[in-house]
């Protein structure tokens, strides 16, 4: 039902934005906390043990995170003609794990959330 709540929330935000005008900047960390905790409650120690039993996806994910992603950042910086400092910043950001957003998208897509969390922490 997680996907349903996200769909309903997104639909309301698009069709009735006035409902969300009371949301303040201070509420974002609280909302993020609620989202991440509710996602975390769906995981068990067994989920993480299963991820660690098969290290190939973790090793592959880490290798791709620190090879393909920086290369993609470099290519975007080159094609768009960014200056040196801006290009360096883009490449560094491209190296960063996906974080909370990738974990939530993995949850919604029905992927391996424990693997996503492990890759985010690497």
């Amino acid at each position: 039902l997680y996907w349903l709540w996200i769909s309903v929330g997104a639909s309301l935000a698009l069709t009735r934005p006035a409902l969300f005008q009371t949301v303040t900047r201070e509420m974002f960390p609280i909302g993020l906390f609620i989202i991440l905790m509710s996602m975390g409650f769906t995981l068990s120690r067994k989920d993480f043990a299963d991820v660690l039993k098969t290290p190939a996806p973790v090793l592959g994910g880490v290798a791709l995170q620190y090879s393909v992603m920086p290369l993609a950042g470099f290519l975007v910086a080159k094609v768009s003609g960014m200056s040196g400092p801006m290009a360096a910043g883009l490449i560094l950001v491209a190296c960063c794990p996906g974080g909370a957003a990738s974990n939530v998208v993995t949850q919604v897509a029905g992927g391996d959330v424990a693997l996503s969390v492990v890759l985010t922490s690497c």
Side-chain angles (χ1 to χ4, degrees), residues 66-115:
Y66 294 107
S67 62
V68 172
M69 294 301 290
L71 180 61
F74 172 77
L75 292 174
V76 168
K78 208 61 154 159
V79 168
S80 64
M82 288 186 178
S83 65
M86 291 291 287
L90 179 63
I91 294 166
L92 285 173
V93 169
C95 290
C96 295
S102 75
N103 297 337
V104 171
V105 170
T106 302
Q107 173 81 22
V108 171
D112 188 347
V113 178
L115 176 62

Side-chain angles (χ1 to χ4, degrees), residues 1-90:
L1 287 174
Y2 194 74
W3 63 271
L4 179 64
W5 287 112
I6 289 179
S7 299
V8 168
S11 297
L12 283 173
L14 288 171
T15 59
R16 300 185 188 273
L19 293 173
F20 296 90
Q21 288 179 344
T22 58
V23 176
T24 64
R25 183 175 289 197
E26 291 77 22
M27 295 169 103
F28 281 108
I30 296 167
L32 186 61
F33 171 79
I34 291 169
I35 290 168
L36 294 179
M37 287 301 290
S38 63
M39 185 177 54
F41 287 140
T42 66
L43 298 173
S44 67
R45 289 183 186 187
K46 182 186 178 312
D47 295 326
F48 291 102
D50 291 344
V51 168
L52 297 177
K53 285 179 187 173
T54 55
V58 175
L59 296 174
V62 170
L64 291 171
Q65 180 69 43
Y66 294 107
S67 62
V68 172
M69 294 301 290
L71 180 61
F74 172 77
L75 292 174
V76 168
K78 208 61 154 159
V79 168
S80 64
M82 288 186 178
S83 65
M86 291 291 287
L90 179 63

